[in-house]
Amino acid sequence: MAVLLGLTYNVSLAQEDKELEIRKLENIEGEAWVKKDSMTLFKLFAPELVVNSPLNNVINLAILKKLIRAGKVDISSSEKKIEKVSFIKDMVVVMGSDIVKPQGAMDNAGKTVTRRYTDIWIYDGAGWRLTIRQATIISIL
């Protein structure tokens, strides 16, 4: 019984460590958008990245890179509120809401945009990579 409790405790701690790592990556990603740090973003993104964007279209990493270069993805602030982190094999599903302030040539520039989002991170052997993202605008103020 003691061995089983010890194993359960170790698994629980490992899970907590992984969740802290994912939460940190979520924050790094949000900060990288604000800082316009595309090098960090591209390290976080899987080559297979696919996004169901709040602009009502589905894009891949190549399209996202073009949008960034054109100034179509430009935010002055980002705040994520993570509600749930779920581990499924080598995948993590993060669900919550975020509040961003678009600027420049981005739609809704100068306004505060609240979105519901789902991020899926997949472990590729070298680290966690954001592989799938879905975001839906729920309010614009």
Side-chain angles (χ1 to χ4, degrees):
M1 182 73 155
V3 172
L4 180 59
L5 288 175
L7 288 174
T8 303
Y9 178 73
N10 287 338
V11 169
S12 178
L13 284 179
Q15 188 85 358
E16 287 177 19
D17 288 347
K18 285 183 185 177
E19 182 169 336
L20 287 174
E21 181 181 2
I22 293 299
R23 288 176 178 273
K24 181 179 177 184
L25 290 171
E26 286 276 323
N27 286 330
I28 290 169
E29 186 234 357
E31 291 171 9
W33 283 114
V34 173
K35 294 177 182 175
K36 297 178 180 49
D37 183 356
S38 58
M39 286 190 61
T40 296
L41 288 169
F42 299 148
K43 286 178 187 175
L44 293 173
F45 297 157
E48 311 81 16
L49 178 73
V50 63
V51 179
N52 187 2
S53 87
L55 301 175
N56 264 344
N57 59 357
V58 177
I59 61 173
N60 62 19
L61 184 56
I63 294 170
L64 180 59
K65 285 180 177 182
K66 287 179 186 176
L67 292 171
I68 291 170
R69 287 186 198 109
K72 297 288 185 180
V73 183
D74 185 4
I75 59 172
S76 65
S77 70
S78 171
E79 177 187 347
K80 291 188 177 193
K81 296 178 183 176
I82 298 171
E83 295 173 30
K84 181 73 174 161
V85 178
S86 299
F87 290 84
I88 305 164
K89 297 184 183 181
D90 62 350
M91 177 176 66
V92 181
V93 179
V94 180
M95 295 179 165
S97 62
D98 63 7
I99 300 169
V100 296
K101 293 191 177 180
Q103 62 183 2
M106 194 167 172
D107 286 354
N108 301 309
K111 298 179 181 174
T112 300
V113 178
T114 302
R115 308 178 294 197
R116 297 291 300 164
Y117 79 93
T118 300
D119 283 348
I120 297 177
W121 297 79
I122 295 179
Y123 192 78
D124 68 0
W128 293 101
R129 302 288 177 253
L130 184 58
T131 307
I132 301 168
R133 178 170 172 82
Q134 181 280 325
T136 303
I137 295 173
I138 59 171
S139 87
I140 301 169
L141 302 174

